[in-house]
């Protein structure tokens, strides 16, 4: 058997541990080579304070609940460039400039790729045709934009001004929902969707995150709620060009 055949067979059997770091929870799931789940999702509460060391330890603990894996994909709630985290509004300031991918690779002894969590959820949701946008409603407000399946990297709408001199996250994050109440939060979300639609003229909008359960208004025809599992399942896309 030649080397190319060996490599092909390995690619078909490679497994990926998908990790989703959230402001309230850290989740993992094992995926096969096609990105299909090989087991159930496991979850731990995000440590407080959510320092890099505490979060890495939680991921390592979750990893021990899974069968052997070949590589890891990590979704992080902030800007990630070349495996380094540059923003972390809902975690700890120590994440700024932190080498997440390299540190976790050393901890788990396997290759690691990291990206923004909304970007990964988008990879799991999009059709790959036209302009498609993803927003995630959780502890914060995540966003991702794709053009014909290609990611526009590090789009951070969360901290741009939205209305009343506040950002999208200040108006629509979990703290805002709890303070303003569901009715007012839904009105804000409708206005935000109208604003983003006029700004990006997207063909489809996908809405994910734990707070989607609080949406009470009828979505436009070009918008839909997607499963939170996509924040893990989309992790396989980080390795598709390998």
């Amino acid at each position: 058997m030649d080397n190319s055949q060996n490599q092909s067979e390995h690619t078909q059997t490679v497994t990926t541990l998908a990790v989703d770091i959230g402001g309230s929870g850290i989740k993992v799931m094992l995926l096969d080579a096609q990105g299909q789940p090989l087991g159930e999702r496991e979850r731990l509460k995000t440590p407080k304070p959510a320092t890099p060391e505490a979060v890495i330890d939680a991921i390592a603990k979750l990893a021990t609940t899974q069968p052997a894996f070949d590589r890891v994909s990590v979704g992080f709630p902030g800007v990630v460039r070349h495996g380094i985290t540059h923003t972390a509004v809902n975690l700890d300031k120590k994440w700024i400039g932190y080498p997440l991918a390299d540190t976790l690779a050393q901890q788990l002894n396997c290759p690691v790729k990291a990206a923004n969590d909304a970007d990964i959820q988008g990879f799991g949701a999009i059709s790959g045709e036209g302009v498609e946008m993803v927003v995630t409603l959780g502890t914060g407000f995540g966003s991702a934009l794709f053009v014909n399946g290609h990611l526009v990297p590090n789009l951070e709408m969360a901290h741009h001004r939205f209305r009343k001199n506040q950002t999208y996250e200040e108006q629509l994050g979990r703290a805002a929902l709890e303070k303003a109440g569901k009715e007012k939060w839904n009105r804000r979300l409708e206005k935000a969707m109208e604003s983003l639609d006029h700004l990006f003229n997207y063909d489809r909008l996908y809405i994910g995150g734990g707070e989607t359960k609080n949406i009470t208004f009828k979505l436009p025809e070009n918008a839909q709620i997607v499963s939170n599992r996509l924040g893990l399942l989309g992790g396989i896309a980080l390795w598709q060009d390998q």
Side-chain angles (χ1 to χ4, degrees), residues 26-99:
I26 299 172
K27 289 81 69 177
V28 302
M29 179 183 288
L30 191 65
L31 309 178
D32 67 14
Q34 286 71 47
Q36 298 302 309
L38 292 171
E40 296 300 315
R41 186 187 78 160
E42 299 291 339
R43 183 183 188 276
L44 286 175
K45 288 185 178 180
T46 302
K48 294 187 181 303
T51 62
E53 294 79 10
V55 170
I56 293 292
D57 285 347
I59 295 171
K61 184 176 181 180
L62 285 166
T64 64
T65 69
Q66 303 297 306
F69 48 88
D70 300 295
R71 61 195 187 186
V72 177
S73 295
V74 185
F76 181 83
V79 172
V80 182
R81 295 193 188 96
H82 310 296
I84 298 172
T85 56
H86 289 271
T87 65
V89 174
N90 295 305
L91 296 177
D92 188 274
K93 291 182 179 179
K94 291 181 180 178
W95 281 102
I96 297 173
Y98 186 78

Side-chain angles (χ1 to χ4, degrees), residues 2 5 21 27-28 57 76 107 126 136 141 162 165 208 222 224-225:
D2 62 31
Q5 188 172 352
I21 301 172
K27 289 81 69 177
V28 302
D57 285 347
F76 181 83
Q107 179 80 22
I126 63 172
T136 57
F141 180 94
F162 168 38
N165 208 34
N222 67 341
Q224 67 185 85
I225 294 173

